[in-house]
Amino acid sequence: MNLPSSFPLVKHQKLGCGAVNERSRHLVSTMAEPTNTPMPASTPVPASTPRSSSPLQQYSIPSLTPNATTATIPLWPSTTSSPDTATRKPQRPIVLHIGDPIKYNPDTYAEFNAAFEVIRPPTPERERNELIRALKEERWGHFSAIFRPFWGTGGEMGRWDAELIDLLPSSVKVFASAGAGFDWADTKLLGERGIIYCNSGLAAAEAVADFSVAMIISTFRHLPWCMNAATFPYLMSSSDARSTFRECHARATAASHNPRGHTLGLIGFGNIGQQIAAKMGNPAFGMKIAYYDVVRKPAAVESELRATFYEKLEGLMKVSDCVVLCTPASADGRPIITAERLGYLRPGTRFVNIARGSLVDEEALADALDSGVVGAAALDVHMDEPSVNERLVRMVTGLGFDDRGQHPGRVMLTCHNAGGTVETHVGFEELSMRNILRVVRDGGEAVTPVNLHWLREKKGV
């Protein structure tokens, strides 16, 4: 069920110390059947297709007014850890809540809290060693789900690997987390244990796609060069600030192009890839859309987005004027973008990464930028976050032409910001709760599972 284009913006009012959604009950009813993440009415996009392991259903994420106020909502306090949790029989299924309290969806949390006994361990109990101790002693009883509504907290224990997963009680059915990526958990092992892992990629898809548009434009218009030339000399009290400005004004034109008519190659064509295609293939930008994915999308989706499928990554990279990496991290942790694959590009091709830093050999990318094989790049994610590759940093901050005649500011670097909006976090909360309600309370299918194929293989389906 897609929301109509006339669907009103959600209004908020202050209540106590929380921002309460006065239309929340209506939104809960509209979200009973999942739909695609809402897009502006002027942007034609079909229902984005899920991963091959996900059920063929989509989900709607509410939007907020720009001036909405938000705060932690202590209206339904969660149970904290206590010695007798494991010994008494719970009246409702237990949900282990790791991370901060919810902030944005009080009505959904009221429904969630009515259905479950929510236990939220304090931060010290979420540290790895203490968490291991707690799981061994069954401190929180036989809980049915793990709930992580925020990406910034709830990760104190580090990666969910065999050391942690093997200690989970057999009662656990679902692990629902904020965030689009899921390389922080061994989803294969979870699946083999019969635990569904649900991410919240649908909630972040529009924010990431919007950020990608800015990065794509940057690679065509060399925004770091233009911005640095106007500001850096003054910040450094440089005597040649005006000449730097004039040089960029005169010379950036010869290196800049309009995106229209160029081929945008998308590596990965899930929810984010399809929203990027809808925005950049729209008449407003007029780019040609090509994509590579391990699973080809239905003909109706390709037709609606005017997207051309390439069976091999090599073929996609050879025809692209700008390549955008928007696919999950590799299961084996190896990069997809290597020196060999960068060699498939035509000289001057642009490159954008809004996926995972581990997918790119950054030294090989720096070499390709030095040689001119890659003309410009934009990276929101990095191999060794929060550290950033120093060679790439130098390509951002330079003001003059290098000894190869390459212009400065060929790279845009950001701090893993693409999905970071208030609306995204509203969706993270809502979607995580809805996944657990669907599986544990309703006995139904999860909204956004990513590892169902591992459960099926375990069951021999």
Side-chain angles (χ1 to χ4, degrees), residues 399-418:
L399 293 174
F401 283 71
D402 63 21
D403 54 7
R404 299 171 187 243
Q406 299 275 26
H407 66 77
R410 300 192 302 283
V411 179
M412 171 186 278
L413 300 174
T414 53
C415 305
H416 206 142
N417 303 117

Side-chain angles (χ1 to χ4, degrees), residues 167-403:
L167 296 176
L168 292 176
S170 59
S171 53
V172 179
K173 297 179 180 179
V174 59
F175 192 141
S177 175
F182 43 88
D183 46 334
W184 76 296
D186 188 337
T187 56
K188 178 177 183 290
L189 182 57
L190 286 168
E192 290 173 345
R193 285 285 307 273
I195 300 169
I196 302 169
Y197 184 90
C198 302
N199 73 342
S200 300
L202 278 175
E206 185 164 27
V208 176
D210 286 347
F211 207 87
S212 301
V213 170
M215 289 192 136
I216 292 166
I217 293 172
S218 176
T219 65
F220 279 89
R221 299 301 305 272
H222 303 291
L223 298 185
W225 181 14
C226 300
M227 295 166 68
N228 293 348
T231 57
F232 275 17
Y234 288 95
L235 294 175
M236 296 183 295
S237 300
S238 174
S239 60
D240 61 350
R242 289 182 179 148
S243 64
T244 302
F245 183 103
R246 291 191 183 102
E247 181 180 53
C248 177
H249 176 73
R251 301 184 69 173
T253 299
S256 299
H257 295 272
N258 295 338
R260 185 176 303 279
H262 288 84
T263 298
L264 183 67
L266 298 167
I267 302 176
F269 209 55
N271 293 295
I272 292 171
Q274 289 177 42
Q275 290 215 28
I276 295 171
K279 294 171 186 290
M280 299 308 298
N282 186 283
F285 286 104
M287 296 194 77
K288 301 172 185 176
I289 305 299
Y291 80 96
Y292 164 81
D293 201 307
V294 292
V295 177
R296 184 171 184 174
K297 304 308 176 187
V301 173
E302 292 182 352
S303 175
E304 183 73 20
L305 293 172
R306 298 184 293 279
T308 302
F309 173 69
Y310 283 81
E311 293 184 358
K312 295 183 178 180
L313 182 55
E314 175 183 353
L316 177 77
M317 297 186 76
K318 286 181 176 179
V319 303
S320 297
D321 296 301
C322 180
V323 173
V324 179
L325 190 56
C326 46
T327 189
S330 305
D332 58 9
R334 295 180 180 179
I336 291 176
I337 303 303
T338 61
E340 178 184 0
R341 285 174 172 156
L342 288 167
Y344 299 148
L345 299 174
R346 293 175 293 180
T349 300
R350 304 148 187 92
F351 177 76
V352 173
N353 184 12
I354 46 83
R356 279 290 184 264
S358 61
L359 291 170
V360 178
D361 180 339
E362 292 176 346
E363 287 299 312
L365 176 61
D367 289 342
L369 282 157
D370 274 339
S371 69
V373 170
V374 174
L379 288 77
D380 180 52
V381 288
H382 310 277
M383 174 67 78
D384 190 27
E385 294 181 10
S387 299
V388 180
N389 185 287
E390 292 184 6
R391 290 180 65 193
L392 296 177
V393 170
R394 287 195 292 271
M395 295 179 189
V396 177
T397 57
L399 293 174
F401 283 71
D402 63 21
D403 54 7

Side-chain angles (χ1 to χ4, degrees), residues 21-199:
N21 178 355
E22 66 184 28
R23 297 195 51 130
S24 188
R25 294 188 186 280
H26 174 66
L27 279 172
V28 166
S29 65
T30 65
M31 298 177 74
E33 291 301 325
T35 62
N36 184 43
T37 306
M39 299 276 293
S42 60
T43 307
V45 60
S48 300
T49 57
R51 305 197 184 285
S52 57
S53 60
S54 303
L56 294 176
Q57 44 185 263
Q58 302 301 318
Y59 206 71
S60 173
I61 304 301
S63 60
L64 293 176
T65 54
N67 298 319
T69 57
T70 58
T72 299
I73 305 168
L75 301 179
W76 301 276
S78 302
T79 303
T80 55
S81 301
S82 61
D84 66 340
T85 303
T87 59
R88 63 185 173 80
K89 186 176 181 179
Q91 299 296 314
R92 295 159 291 164
I94 297 172
V95 171
L96 186 66
H97 176 161
I98 54 176
D100 284 353
I102 68 111
K103 295 180 181 180
Y104 303 110
N105 297 280
D107 281 14
T108 303
Y109 188 70
E111 180 184 354
F112 191 75
N113 199 62
F116 307 119
E117 179 176 342
V118 182
I119 297 176
R120 192 176 71 84
T123 303
E125 292 189 21
R126 303 196 300 263
E127 297 291 344
R128 191 174 187 88
N129 290 338
E130 186 60 27
L131 180 66
I132 289 172
R133 188 177 297 111
L135 291 173
K136 285 181 176 179
E137 66 188 36
E138 298 185 349
R139 186 178 303 170
W140 304 305
H142 297 283
F143 50 91
S144 300
I146 301 173
F147 172 49
R148 183 187 179 185
F150 294 102
W151 191 247
T153 63
E156 296 84 0
M157 69 294 300
R159 190 171 190 270
W160 282 81
D161 53 15
E163 185 179 30
L164 295 181
I165 294 171
D166 288 347
L167 296 176
L168 292 176
S170 59
S171 53
V172 179
K173 297 179 180 179
V174 59
F175 192 141
S177 175
F182 43 88
D183 46 334
W184 76 296
D186 188 337
T187 56
K188 178 177 183 290
L189 182 57
L190 286 168
E192 290 173 345
R193 285 285 307 273
I195 300 169
I196 302 169
Y197 184 90
C198 302
N199 73 342

